[in-house]
Amino acid sequence: MARQPNGTVHAHSSGTPPPVSTSRKVRRRGPIDVVDAKVAVDLATAQTYSENVFLFVPNLIGYTRIILAGLSLHFMSYHPRYCTILYGISCLLDAVDGQAARALGQTSKFGAVLDMVTDRCTTSCLLCYLSSAYPSYALLFQFLIALDFSSHYMHMYSSLVTGSRSHKLVTSDVSRILWYYYNDSRTLFFMCAGNELFFVALYLMKWIQSPISESLAPGIASFLPALLLTLTWPEIMAISSFWVCFAKNIINIVQLWKASKILVGVDLAERAAAREKEATDREKKA
């Protein structure tokens, strides 16, 4: 081993992963530590099996979600039952990985981003199919995809530039709506599940045309309104979850607007600091 003057340690070519010194590569930025990108790559390359973030249980659940979502897309155009079951399990596992992370002490930034990216991509793929199934509403579905991606990307980036450890750490003084949405796990699950349920219902409406009156026992059907009996199960699901989907996309708009204001505020603060520095430099030269 050879120690360099700058304090970092390098290994000779012995096949052993070089230990990575992070002391000089970590700096404070607000409330978080910022690690140099090269050091981060070296740490990820040299990680051991016992502490491999890629193999954390919550992340393994995340990979399973991706596989299930991919299989559901495979069956989407010709086997609605398999597609719906696989898609539903993939979405439900979204509530499991977070609990596993907290229970096992395996929370990670990689897992948080993997979870968000999986959610965005899975929903977008379903919306792409709905665009072809309902061509008259293709523009609306494309808008929902763009809103979902843009609001979450800008929210994530605004969280990073303001030094937040997680995009879910929103304070009530920034946005009471986002604070309640992200800090109450029941609300978050209800909104996300209702949003997905609405899109799944739209998907099933293309396949199921029989009204519920044909699948209910006569005794039960007699207690239901006549209008309800003319609807299909997917139509009832869509009507029930529409308002949740509507509210979820209102939250996306709020998230996009708040993130935009945060980024503009950071720009203004940095420009003001640059002007102050220029003024100070001129005074020193004068």
Side-chain angles (χ1 to χ4, degrees), residues 162-179:
T162 54
S164 178
R165 290 186 177 275
S166 170
H167 67 282
K168 294 183 178 180
L169 297 179
V170 181
T171 57
S172 57
D173 57 344
V174 172
S175 173
R176 185 167 294 275
I177 293 176
L178 296 180
W179 173 80

Side-chain angles (χ1 to χ4, degrees), residues 52-238:
N52 193 319
V53 177
F54 288 124
L55 299 180
F56 278 3
V57 171
N59 298 335
L60 294 177
I61 296 175
Y63 307 146
T64 303
R65 289 188 61 206
I66 295 173
I67 294 172
L68 292 173
L71 290 174
S72 73
L73 295 176
H74 172 73
F75 291 112
M76 189 168 286
S77 61
Y78 68 95
H79 207 305
R81 178 175 297 179
Y82 288 170
C83 172
T84 304
I85 292 174
L86 292 167
Y87 190 92
I89 295 175
S90 177
C91 291
L92 289 175
L93 286 177
D94 187 23
V96 176
D97 57 3
Q99 294 180 354
R102 290 184 290 272
L104 300 174
Q106 294 183 342
T107 58
S108 63
K109 292 179 175 61
F110 170 73
V113 175
L114 176 67
D115 187 53
M116 176 183 287
V117 171
T118 302
D119 290 340
R120 306 285 75 74
C121 293
T122 303
T123 305
S124 296
C125 289
L126 177 55
L127 289 174
C128 286
Y129 180 86
L130 294 179
S131 295
S132 63
Y134 301 92
S136 300
Y137 297 94
L139 185 61
L140 174 60
F141 292 129
Q142 291 168 1
F143 168 76
L144 294 178
I145 293 173
L147 175 62
D148 197 31
F149 269 101
S150 60
S151 67
H152 283 84
Y153 178 84
M154 293 192 71
H155 177 64
M156 176 71 80
Y157 193 80
S158 67
S159 299
L160 290 174
V161 299
T162 54
S164 178
R165 290 186 177 275
S166 170
H167 67 282
K168 294 183 178 180
L169 297 179
V170 181
T171 57
S172 57
D173 57 344
V174 172
S175 173
R176 185 167 294 275
I177 293 176
L178 296 180
W179 173 80
Y180 189 74
Y181 174 70
Y182 278 117
N183 287 274
D184 188 283
S185 58
R186 293 168 297 181
T187 300
L188 184 61
F189 175 80
F190 176 77
M191 297 297 291
C192 293
N195 185 63
E196 295 295 338
L197 182 63
F198 177 71
F199 295 139
V200 170
L202 293 181
Y203 166 72
L204 290 175
M205 282 168 55
K206 300 298 292 186
W207 299 90
I208 301 176
Q209 307 297 329
S210 302
I212 64 171
S213 59
E214 297 182 6
S215 60
L216 293 176
I220 298 177
S222 62
F223 290 100
L224 299 177
L227 178 60
L228 185 63
L229 294 175
T230 63
L231 300 175
T232 65
W233 284 112
E235 288 173 340
I236 295 175
M237 290 167 52

